[in-house]
Amino acid sequence: MKYQVQENCLTIFLPKELDHHNAEEIRKESDHLIERNHIRYVIFDFADTIFCDSSGIGVIMGRYKRIYMLGGEVCAVHANERMKKMLVMSGVTKIMQIYEEEK
Amino acid sequence: MENTNEMQLIFDSRSSNESFARVTVAAFMTSLNPTVEEVSDVKTAVSEAVTNAVIHGYEGEVKDVIIRCRTEERTLYIEVEDKGKGIEDVEAAMEPLFTTKPDLDRSGMGFSFMEAFMDELEVESKPGEGTVVRMKKIIGKGRKLWTTQSL
């Protein structure tokens, strides 16, 4: 898992498979980073992700709750069609923007 | 029967085995010539059922999770069983966003995803004895049969 902190913004480069197993690690590490670096914005980068289940959705919802309490925002980038479908179905698109990259 | 195939898989309820379980089921179903979409649907549904067994059924204990798969013509049947603590109220558990473990960042979407991605879903559970999730999916719905031209 890779993370990047730029000022108060944390980018999480999500793994290939965002399931319960990987979600646990992201939850722990990202919460630690959010606390230590006074993070207000979290970007979930789906560029490498080809699989996501409800555990992945749980991680996003959990980070949203935390960041929302701090007055910040979360968003997603580079989501493929499948990932977009999962995000829309689960309703997290109501709390989070999905940005497309301009090419 | 001619057009049936079966397999059984028993593995430890470790989170690291979730990926192994869904990939195995995906490999098993390839004989039905599924689309990428259909494989993704099944993988997600299996992942949800196995994750439930690991987190809720056994609550972190390492015990057996059993998957039984069967194909009949172009229908795929999947059973995911655990002998864990069972579900008190199956109907409530199947409600979207219902979760008994919100502190662990559970989204409560597990059964909803299984329902959405499979054609049928049935959950049988007895508190203290375990849970069986039965799912069915017809592969190649609305797809026309085609034959390759002989050379």
Side-chain angles (χ1 to χ4, degrees):
Chain A
M1 228 80 57
K2 284 194 208 124
Y3 304 88
Q4 185 186 310
V5 177
Q6 282 173 309
E7 297 194 15
N8 64 354
C9 176
L10 168 69
T11 306
I12 304 173
F13 297 95
L14 297 168
K16 209 171 149 200
E17 308 210 299
L18 185 51
D19 63 357
H20 164 229
H21 183 63
N22 290 324
E24 283 294 292
E25 199 183 317
I26 298 172
R27 181 165 71 97
K28 283 187 204 132
E29 288 180 13
S30 64
D31 279 358
H32 179 71
L33 287 168
I34 289 170
E35 223 158 279
R36 216 180 46 180
N37 298 289
H38 309 287
I39 298 295
R40 291 291 174 274
Y41 299 93
V42 174
I43 301 168
F44 293 98
D45 192 322
F46 282 85
D48 293 332
T49 311
I50 52 165
F51 179 87
C52 172
D53 65 12
S54 70
S55 305
I57 302 298
V59 164
I60 295 172
M61 281 164 58
R63 301 296 76 61
Y64 167 77
K65 280 182 202 152
R66 185 168 276 258
I67 289 294
Y68 181 75
M69 297 291 270
L70 298 166
E73 262 177 61
V74 298
C75 70
V77 292
H78 300 142
N80 69 21
E81 286 311 310
R82 177 79 191 178
M83 294 308 117
K84 273 185 212 155
K85 187 176 168 186
M86 302 291 297
L87 295 171
V88 170
M89 273 179 62
S90 61
V92 291
T93 43
K94 288 179 195 141
I95 55 167
M96 175 179 78
Q97 281 281 347
I98 305 178
Y99 292 105
E100 314 269 342
E101 197 179 25
E102 293 162 45
K103 278 248 167 89
Chain B
M1 245 204 289
E2 187 93 351
N3 291 324
T4 66
N5 194 13
E6 280 182 35
M7 74 107 168
Q8 257 192 59
L9 188 67
I10 303 172
F11 56 92
D12 281 354
S13 58
R14 300 175 199 276
S15 68
S16 53
N17 280 337
E18 289 159 6
S19 138
F20 162 72
R22 60 177 181 261
V23 170
T24 307
V25 175
F28 177 75
M29 72 184 285
T30 50
S31 60
L32 297 178
N33 269 322
T35 60
V36 177
E37 183 87 11
E38 285 165 337
V39 174
S40 298
D41 290 353
V42 169
K43 274 170 96 174
T44 308
V46 170
S47 194
E48 300 298 353
V50 173
T51 304
N52 277 351
V54 172
I55 302 181
H56 301 287
Y58 292 127
E59 296 192 298
E61 272 183 280
V62 176
K63 287 187 178 162
D64 287 351
V65 179
I66 307 149
I67 296 185
R68 290 182 208 90
C69 285
R70 188 160 54 94
T71 57
E72 230 179 83
E73 301 289 338
R74 42 191 207 123
T75 309
L76 173 69
Y77 297 90
I78 305 172
E79 256 182 54
V80 180
E81 182 177 351
D82 70 68
K83 304 211 182 297
K85 69 168 199 173
I87 304 169
E88 294 282 346
D89 186 346
V90 174
E91 218 171 291
M94 291 177 77
E95 285 289 314
L97 301 177
F98 175 92
T99 180
T100 50
K101 293 188 171 33
D103 48 316
L104 287 178
D105 275 349
R106 307 311 312 164
S107 63
M109 294 299 291
F111 281 124
S112 309
F113 280 169
M114 287 185 240
E115 234 167 357
F117 292 129
M118 303 297 278
D119 292 322
E120 268 173 43
L121 171 68
E122 201 186 291
V123 182
E124 196 186 311
S125 190
K126 271 201 191 127
E129 284 179 32
T131 303
V132 188
V133 175
R134 292 192 186 86
M135 300 180 280
K136 177 182 146 180
K137 188 172 180 71
I138 300 164
I139 304 301
K141 244 194 296 184
R143 209 181 333 146
K144 281 202 187 106
L145 277 177
W146 56 276
T147 43
T148 44
Q149 212 124 38
S150 57
L151 293 167

